[in-house]
């Protein structure tokens, strides 16, 4: 992966986490959600 891709990806993750926190989720809830298998393929 190139550095530009990683920076863009990191910015997207930061934005998603900020949105989740703004919606009232705690960081522990976000981590748990990311660890779960949602059965999507």
């Amino acid at each position: 992966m190139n550095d530009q891709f990683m920076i863009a990806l990191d910015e997207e993750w930061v934005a998603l986490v900020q949105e989740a926190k703004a919606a009232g989720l705690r960081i522990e809830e976000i981590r748990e959600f990311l660890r779960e298998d949602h059965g999507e393929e």
Side-chain angles (χ1 to χ4, degrees):
M1 269 185 244
N2 67 35
D3 290 338
Q4 281 184 323
F5 177 77
M6 290 300 294
I7 290 169
L9 183 62
D10 288 346
E11 289 173 359
E12 289 181 35
W13 277 106
V14 169
L16 287 170
V17 171
Q18 287 174 336
E19 285 184 44
K21 288 177 75 176
L25 294 170
R26 294 173 300 140
I27 193 71
E28 293 84 11
E29 292 172 305
I30 298 167
R31 285 181 182 142
E32 181 180 331
F33 177 81
L34 293 172
R35 288 184 184 129
E36 290 177 1
D37 178 11
H38 299 283
E40 296 177 22
E41 294 186 30

